[in-house]
């Protein structure tokens, strides 16, 4: 069986690529080893798929080459994807910070992609494992559990390593190496952080407590929610900073990002000298956390008994609470994989290999990783589209 194009992986990037190539009259086969396509789309955004972001721009992506993503993102924008969503009558809304979600269900996005595939006469083979990939004079030859499939071009869209239970595999990296491509070191990103020892013992029983913070490394800051968990810390601000945090690096949390400090504490001292610090802090922070901070660090006396220097020190600690994370929760819960196929060996306009003509890499398998908020799907759509226009 000979195809113009075989796409390995029926996720966001693979399906978009197949649609675009199919629309151009290419004979396309998508091979997906899981029992259905688009599993990550289905589980994304709490079941409502944060399918893009109004503000998607190259600055929202991490890569050894920050310029690489520009061309594909410019040629298939968030507005192009929104237009497709609207063509299919899918109602959507902006939640916050430009993040767009389906009003109803992420199933609608998968159905939309499958309808587009059907219209473009794309063939999809699910539950099909690939044993071997070879290159010959005709193109590519894939030995699968259902026999050999041949194609002129091959698109690797098999995703990253996050959530192995959803079909994630290292297959794309393995193929890249087989064809002489460099794979940059991978690690779990957009992942909760773990604490250990005293750092965990002091706060683990506050699991479930949530508050707005600004989480910072020396280079990057994110404002968003923090959630204390029984193993460490999570929430949007932590997931975001986890992509930039290096093991061993200090991390700081601004626990009162909406308060002027130390002015607010000084005003409380003037206005309510008899109020205990715990009571004052409980009005700005979750009560259990305020109590714990007083127990462990600040003491709990009437406000009038704190000297100016002490109030300044408390303010400084609330402004930059030091966190010593022991690691991330890893691929089990990470939303994405950092690193991957080195962009230096790919064309940024077509995603084609510079080493092996006819071979393409798209989506998360490539060393381009988005921040939290719909940016990863936008990269999947844009890079899939770029390859689908060329392959
Ligand atoms: C829980 C969760 C929630 C997320 N929420 C969002 C969100 O709301 N917004 C956002 O922008 N991003 C989100 N992401 C990230 C987003 O899902 C990914 O960045 C995106 O799916 C990457 O697309 P992809 O096509 O490259 O890879 P995937 O979508 O992972 O697709 C790869 C496909 O290849 C298949 N495959 C793997 N190995 C093989 C093989 N050997 N043979 C055949 N098939 C194979 C896999 O089964 C899979 O179907 C979320 C991720 C997770 C884990």
């Amino acid at each position: 069986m000979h195809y113009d194009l075989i796409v390995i992986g029926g996720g966001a990037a693979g399906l978009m690529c197949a649609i675009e190539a199919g629309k151009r009259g290419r004979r396309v086969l998508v091979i997906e080893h899981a029992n259905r396509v688009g599993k990550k789309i289905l589980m994304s955004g709490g079941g409502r798929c944060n399918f893009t972001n109004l503000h998607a721009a190259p600055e929202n992506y991490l890569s050894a080459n920050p310029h690489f993503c520009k061309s594909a993102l410019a040629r298939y924008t968030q507005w192009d994807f929104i237009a497709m969503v609207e063509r299919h009558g899918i109602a959507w809304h902006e939640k916050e910070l430009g993040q767009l979600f389906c009003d109803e269900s992420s199933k609608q996005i998968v159905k939309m992609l499958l309808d587009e595939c059907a219209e473009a006469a794309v063939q999809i083979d699910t539950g099909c494992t690939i044993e071997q990939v070879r290159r010959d004079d005709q193109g590519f030859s894939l030995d699968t559990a259902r026999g050999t499939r041949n194609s002129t071009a091959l698109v690797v869209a098999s995703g990253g390593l996050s959530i192995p239970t959803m079909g994630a595999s290292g297959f794309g990296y393995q193929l890249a190496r087989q064809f002489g491509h460099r794979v940059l070191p991978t690690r779990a990103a957009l992942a909760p952080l773990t604490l250990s020892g005293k750092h965990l013992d002091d706060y683990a029983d506050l699991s479930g407590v949530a508050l707005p913070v600004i989480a910072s490394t020396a280079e990057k800051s994110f404002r968003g929610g923090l959630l204390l968990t029984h193993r460490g810390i999570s929430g949007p601000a932590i997931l975001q900073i986890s992509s930039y945090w290096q093991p061993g690096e200090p991390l700081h949390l601004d626990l009162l990002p909406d308060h002027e400090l130390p002015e607010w504490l000084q005003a409380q001292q003037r206005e309510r000298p008899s109020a205990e610090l715990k009571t004052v802090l409980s009005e700005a922070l979750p009560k259990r956390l305020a109590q714990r901070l007083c127990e462990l660090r600040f003491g709990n006396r009437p406000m009038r008994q704190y000297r100016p220097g002490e109030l300044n020190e408390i303010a400084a600690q609330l402004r930059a609470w030091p966190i010593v994370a022991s690691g991330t929760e890893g691929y089990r819960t990470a939303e994405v994989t950092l690193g991957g196929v080195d962009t230096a060996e790919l064309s940024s306009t077509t995603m084609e290999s510079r080493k092996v003509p006819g071979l393409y890499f798209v989506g998360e398998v490539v060393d381009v990783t988005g921040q939290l908020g719909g940016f990863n799907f936008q990269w999947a759509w844009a890079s899939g589209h770029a390859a689908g226009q060329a392959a």
Side-chain angles (χ1 to χ4, degrees), residues 248-290:
E249 190 187 1
L251 194 64
H252 289 96
L253 300 179
D254 182 344
L255 298 176
L256 287 176
D258 297 316
H259 287 67
E260 290 292 330
L261 290 175
E263 291 80 358
W264 178 73
L265 283 173
Q266 290 160 351
Q268 296 295 314
Q269 189 177 47
R270 271 195 312 276
E271 289 158 22
R272 319 157 64 185
S274 307
E276 290 184 332
L277 178 64
K278 184 176 75 179
T279 312
V280 168
L281 288 183
S282 296
E283 288 161 18
L285 290 168
K287 194 171 171 192
R288 288 163 66 206
L289 178 61

Side-chain angles (χ1 to χ4, degrees), residues 8-14 31-34 36 38-40 43-45 49-51 128 130 157-160 162-163 166-169 171 334-336 362-365 373-378 380:
I8 300 179
I31 301 181
E32 167 58 57
H33 70 169
R36 61 190 297 182
K39 279 194 174 181
K40 275 203 190 152
M43 75 189 297
S44 69
C49 187
N50 177 194
F51 54 79
C128 181
I130 300 165
S158 51
S162 36
I163 323 274
M166 284 291 134
S169 75
F171 191 67
E335 279 202 12
V336 281
V362 297
E364 198 179 318
V365 74
F375 301 106
N376 282 296
F377 278 136
Q378 188 56 40

Side-chain angles (χ1 to χ4, degrees), residues 16 20 23 52 70-85 87 112-113 377-386 389:
M16 179 58 93
E20 283 310 310
K23 278 197 217 161
T52 192
K70 287 181 178 172
S71 170
L73 290 173
R75 282 178 302 123
Y76 191 84
T77 69
Q78 52 273 47
W79 308 108
D80 294 314
F81 194 75
I82 293 167
M84 185 193 278
V85 165
R87 256 196 335 272
M112 172 185 86
L113 295 169
F377 278 136
Q378 188 56 40
W379 169 246
W381 314 133
S383 58
H385 183 269
Q389 291 282 305

